[in-house]
Amino acid sequence: MPMLAVLAALLISATDPSPLCTGTPEQGALMACRTAPNAVITLGDDAGFTATFKADSVGRFVVGFSRDAPPNMTLRACADGGACAALPLSIAPHDYKIERIDGLPPGKVSTFSAAQLAHIRKSSTRKKAAFAIKADTDAYLAGFAKPVQKARISGFYGSQRVLNGKPKRPHMGMDFAVPKGTPIAAPAGGVVTLADPDLYFEGGTVFLDHGQGLVSVFMHMSSLDVHDGQVVKKGDILGKVGATGRATGPHLHWSLKWKNRYYVNPASALSLDVSPLR
Ligand SMILES: [Zn+2]
């Protein structure tokens, strides 16, 4: 290629913001995309939902769709120079299950003592502060792997939960049924933004920020091997499976939050192809 043509190609790639993505637009899913460096990205729908954020310095970003994302959304990217490109998206619906759980102790469902309420408030404050942290990491670029192996999936993302006969908020994570004491491996690397052995509902909990606003939450752990601020690699052991907090038996609950906006499907992270972003 003549030198001028090479230069022209480089200039176009640096300013053309048209997003190129891997992954399928579906309720709860993730897509890994490329656009112009530092482009301003907007995800929106007709109902007025808008999320605005920036691609990184080489144009990478990850976009997530909520559990109840509408059928039509638009992903818009505007390059530094002002050129914009819009990508209309048809969001496939996800068929959610209904899960009934009976026999939960009443104190964990509806009636709380003053001490329990204080514990709940303290837990909520800690979570809020941790979710506000944005770790400086690109660890998601190595892709995601299951945090425990050979586990039966006992709870699915988005399921409508009915606890002791009462409809509750949907289940926003993935449950892995494994024995107490099973080691939990980091599904991707990142920075630990919260390591608390005793949150009221969640029990022993670890938050792990993978970059791009993707934060894993692991609940009900019997023991923790990491501390706040710790940098971990993919596969590092975070602690052990337990039944702490509001859990009927030992299992690992893994949820994944996007941009501190909503939870996305961890199964979508496991199948996400991030290789074009490397
Ligand atoms: Zn769960």
Side-chain angles (χ1 to χ4, degrees):
M1 203 187 279
M3 185 58 88
L4 268 177
V6 172
L7 269 177
L10 282 173
L11 283 171
I12 287 167
S13 65
T15 53
D16 180 6
S18 303
L20 289 171
C21 304
T22 66
T24 311
E26 187 194 306
Q27 289 179 333
L30 291 170
M31 295 198 309
C33 310
R34 260 189 186 281
T35 178
N38 302 309
V40 175
I41 314 298
T42 310
L43 176 67
D45 66 39
D46 291 343
F49 167 83
T50 310
T52 303
F53 55 96
K54 275 185 102 172
D56 72 10
S57 60
V58 292
R60 298 183 289 223
F61 68 94
V62 174
V63 65
F65 303 100
S66 69
R67 178 192 187 271
D68 301 304
N72 297 298
M73 298 189 84
T74 303
L75 191 61
R76 197 174 153 85
C78 291
D80 258 353
C84 294
L87 180 65
L89 298 168
S90 294
I91 315 292
H94 189 94
D95 193 13
Y96 298 110
K97 297 174 190 298
I98 294 179
E99 291 174 6
R100 291 173 201 282
I101 301 177
D102 295 313
L104 287 170
K108 296 279 181 184
V109 179
S110 53
T111 31
F112 303 108
S113 68
Q116 286 170 326
L117 283 172
H119 193 171
I120 290 167
R121 273 195 292 272
K122 190 179 157 205
S123 301
S124 167
T125 305
R126 287 222 63 191
K127 285 186 287 178
K128 211 172 162 185
F131 273 131
I133 298 169
K134 282 181 193 151
D136 184 16
T137 175
D138 279 333
Y140 74 97
L141 286 172
F144 286 77
K146 280 184 188 171
V148 286
Q149 297 303 318
K150 294 179 193 163
R152 179 176 63 88
I153 306 301
S154 56
F156 294 86
Y157 169 86
S159 303
Q160 176 63 57
R161 285 238 154 140
V162 183
L163 306 184
N164 287 356
K166 288 182 190 151
K168 294 281 171 178
R169 279 187 292 183
H171 179 243
M172 298 311 279
M174 204 171 170
D175 289 339
F176 298 84
V178 278
K180 185 180 173 202
T182 302
I184 301 161
V191 179
V192 174
T193 51
L194 182 137
D196 193 312
D198 188 28
L199 295 182
Y200 184 78
F201 292 105
E202 299 84 353
T205 301
V206 168
F207 284 14
L208 184 58
D209 190 336
H210 308 290
Q212 284 292 331
L214 290 171
V215 177
S216 278
V217 176
F218 305 95
M219 301 181 190
H220 312 308
M221 295 168 66
S222 60
S223 67
L224 275 57
D225 290 349
V226 292
H227 55 81
D228 287 8
Q230 189 172 331
V231 176
V232 302
K233 293 194 296 292
K234 184 176 181 174
D236 281 357
I237 300 304
L238 305 172
K240 293 187 174 71
V241 170
T244 55
R246 188 177 64 176
T248 46
H251 72 280
L252 172 65
H253 171 106
W254 174 30
S255 49
L256 188 61
K257 206 166 191 182
W258 177 73
K259 302 282 186 198
N260 201 10
R261 303 276 310 225
Y262 41 70
Y263 289 99
V264 292
N265 193 347
S268 169
L270 293 174
S271 61
L272 187 67
D273 179 13
V274 288
S275 58
L277 270 56
R278 285 180 204 139

